[in-house]
Amino acid sequence: MRKRRGRLVALGIVMAVLIPLGYLWATSLVPGTYNPADMGYADYGGGVAGGHEHHHQAASIAELTGPKTGTPDVAVTLVARKEKKGLAGYTLNGSSPGPLIRAESGALVQVTLVNESVPDGATLHWHGIDVPNAEDGVAGVTQDAVPIGGRHVYRFRAEDAGTYWYHSHQVSSDQVKGGLFGPIVIAPKAPGEVLATIHTYDGKRTINGQMGSQRVELPAGTTARLRVINTDNAILRVGVTGAAYKVVAVDGREVKGPTPVTKAYALAAGGRVDLEAVVPAGGMSLVAGTSALSLKIGPGDGPVGELPAETVDLLSYGKRAPLGFDPAKADRRFEYRIGRRIGFLDGVPGLWWTINGHKFPDVPMYMVAEGDIVRMTISNTSGQSHPMHLHGHHAVVLTRNGTPSTGSPWWTDTVEVGNNETYEIAFRADNPGLWMDHCHNLPHASEGLMTHLMYAGYTTPYQIGGTTHNEPE
């Protein structure tokens, strides 16, 4: 009797453990096919509710396209391939980075993506360019992934001059790392322009696809504009040695009243920065991380050297200027609290990212209406840094760890939020649709650190998973 009673007690203990675990496992499962507009729970940020629950009345984001007619000023075809050898696992038109796309402000851009041999399909997302929603290039959200033998045409007006990049947003944690990306510059080519697209292929960090130091011939006295793009998953220290420089643009937005510095610049993953320096008689170098990876610019070899420890603080750099709206009159106020906890994600046990204490897919859907002024507080207690990227919008940094911005308006689309840091940002909701809002350390996004910004009255006809095999992260 005692043995039987002991077995029953042991069975009860096992059941007490297994039943909750089974429930947690079952509730973590992500449907094999789902509409991203239906995921998570609606967060209205204190504003007027509506739009999330009534998809049968909603307009399709497929209608939010760029100009459907008109001869493009820039027309490019990009052929995506899966490679069997070389540094890059994927290429566009046979190279990685893919070809530079250049357009002047106001130009109509047309890019045709052809998938020659990428098995999972591919898309093109215009990182930092606030295109109409249907042109955003996110598989399962704004389009279906382009299968082998297929093609997709993107059309948009290149409104804002600046430095940007494009990359696949289908299985992006693999495809971007493997080389399916390229630079895009909205500005006429000017004397002294130097492009530096920085990427790590299989542990080998490169500038413009090449390892080690390279030479860029520019006459002494030339004012050089160095367009630096960080396509990796981690923050990167960049800067100029041999000359002082100015930070003249961040994420495609001009800095007001830049002043010369000799510090390093901490470039967020996915972010871009434009540095301006006058080439000295002895030359100078753009250094990416360490002196082992640099562009020697000007006459002679030029000094290389290591970057200083101190970094430029954009919170106080430059001069103040009007924002164009009043953040104090926000219509929505959101919290985006990044954490981490043990549990299941799609049935897999592990230590997973959380948003406001919730694991994907039970994360907030940030709901806005067109014209809203939005304030968002992004806090991070997860133990790691996260470059947070909101599609379709540029936000201005208001505070960091409670300290207000006193310099030039810090407009950004990718802000690196370090562990135990808190940023408050603001933006105007002026680009309707359904937009990704995720960590641009792309493996983190694939591990659940992603959600969406959704405009009331819209939904998407696209599905994640299923026969389309859409998998944005």
Side-chain angles (χ1 to χ4, degrees):
M1 180 64 71
R2 290 179 180 175
K3 290 182 179 179
R4 182 182 178 188
R5 194 173 294 156
R7 286 195 295 267
L8 288 174
V9 170
L11 179 60
I13 293 173
V14 170
M15 295 301 291
V17 172
L18 291 181
I19 289 174
L21 283 177
Y23 173 78
L24 292 172
W25 176 85
T27 55
S28 78
L29 297 177
V30 179
T33 302
Y34 65 91
N35 187 305
D38 294 326
M39 299 306 291
Y41 62 92
D43 183 344
Y44 296 100
V48 177
H52 188 64
E53 305 87 351
H54 307 292
H55 295 314
H56 63 283
Q57 300 174 353
S60 171
I61 66 167
E63 299 302 315
L64 299 175
T65 67
K68 295 182 179 180
T69 60
T71 302
D73 301 292
V74 176
V76 178
T77 297
L78 297 178
V79 179
R81 300 187 183 103
K82 171 71 172 173
E83 301 292 345
K84 296 181 180 179
K85 59 182 180 179
L87 274 181
Y90 302 96
T91 61
L92 290 158
N93 291 6
S95 70
S96 180
L100 168 65
I101 299 174
R102 183 181 293 278
E104 295 191 21
S105 182
L108 177 58
V109 177
Q110 177 176 298
V111 179
T112 302
L113 171 64
V114 177
N115 183 359
E116 182 178 290
S117 56
V118 178
D120 291 319
T123 69
L124 290 178
H125 165 61
W126 311 98
H127 189 114
I129 304 179
D130 299 336
V131 298
N133 195 215
E135 312 294 346
D136 196 44
V138 181
V141 180
T142 65
Q143 70 171 92
D144 287 329
V146 181
I148 291 177
R151 64 178 55 216
H152 186 92
V153 178
Y154 302 88
R155 287 171 63 92
F156 58 88
R157 190 73 65 179
E159 299 289 356
D160 297 308
T163 305
Y164 306 95
W165 63 299
Y166 58 89
H167 64 79
S168 179
H169 227 303
Q170 163 72 352
V171 197
S172 57
S173 58
D174 171 66
Q175 293 186 2
V176 177
K177 180 180 179 181
L180 211 53
F181 68 89
I184 178 169
V185 173
I186 301 176
K189 184 171 176 56
E193 180 182 279
V194 177
L195 182 66
T197 305
I198 299 166
H199 189 74
T200 302
Y201 300 91
D202 195 24
K204 301 176 179 65
R205 182 172 285 168
T206 66
I207 297 180
N208 300 330
Q210 298 182 47
M211 295 183 291
S213 295
Q214 304 164 45
R215 288 292 306 275
V216 178
E217 295 290 346
L218 286 179
T222 302
T223 299
R225 187 172 185 125
L226 315 176
R227 299 181 180 272
V228 189
I229 306 171
N230 182 4
T231 69
D232 280 333
N233 290 320
I235 197 167
L236 176 69
R237 287 164 49 83
V238 299
V240 175
T241 59
Y245 70 90
K246 297 178 182 178
V247 179
V248 293
V250 173
D251 286 354
R253 297 296 182 268
E254 295 292 306
V255 173
K256 306 298 182 183
T259 54
V261 295
T262 55
K263 305 173 183 179
Y265 182 89
L267 183 57
R272 292 87 55 218
V273 66
D274 290 13
L275 310 178
E276 184 180 274
V278 177
V279 179
M284 62 185 188
S285 294
L286 171 67
V287 176
T290 71
S291 60
L293 187 67
S294 63
L295 293 179
K296 297 179 179 181
I297 301 167
D301 286 337
V304 180
E306 299 297 338
L307 294 171
E310 193 176 4
T311 57
V312 177
D313 188 355
L314 291 180
L315 209 62
S316 56
Y317 183 77
K319 296 181 180 179
R320 302 188 70 170
L323 299 181
F325 66 90
D326 186 357
K329 298 179 179 179
D331 303 286
R332 316 266 176 173
R333 293 174 183 265
F334 297 119
E335 289 190 351
Y336 198 128
R337 302 190 311 275
I338 304 167
R340 207 174 190 190
R341 77 166 189 258
I342 294 172
F344 295 96
L345 179 64
D346 200 17
V348 179
L351 185 60
W352 303 110
W353 309 111
T354 61
I355 302 174
N356 295 353
H358 295 258
K359 290 195 287 41
F360 188 87
D362 187 30
V363 291
M365 173 74 80
Y366 297 111
M367 299 296 302
V368 298
E370 189 171 2
D372 281 348
I373 302 301
V374 181
R375 289 177 73 125
M376 179 177 285
T377 300
I378 309 173
S379 58
N380 176 18
T381 57
S382 71
Q384 292 189 29
S385 182
H386 300 286
M388 301 309 298
H389 174 49
L390 171 61
H391 289 209
H393 302 76
H394 274 70
V396 66
V397 174
L398 302 177
T399 67
R400 184 186 61 226
N401 301 330
T403 301
S405 172
T406 57
S408 170
W410 177 1
W411 291 99
T412 180
D413 56 69
T414 312
V415 61
E416 190 90 26
V417 183
N419 185 46
N420 292 324
E421 282 192 333
T422 298
Y423 280 78
E424 188 175 19
I425 63 173
F427 61 93
R428 187 188 298 276
D430 57 3
N431 198 1
L434 178 61
W435 301 97
M436 294 284 289
D437 190 353
H438 66 108
C439 178
H440 219 273
N441 184 329
L442 295 173
H444 290 180
S446 68
E447 296 164 357
L449 192 42
M450 62 176 175
T451 184
H452 298 82
L453 178 80
M454 184 176 183
Y455 282 68
Y458 288 93
T459 191
T460 178
Y462 303 106
Q463 302 282 324
I464 292 177
T467 58
T468 59
H469 305 292
N470 291 322
E471 189 180 343
E473 300 300 346

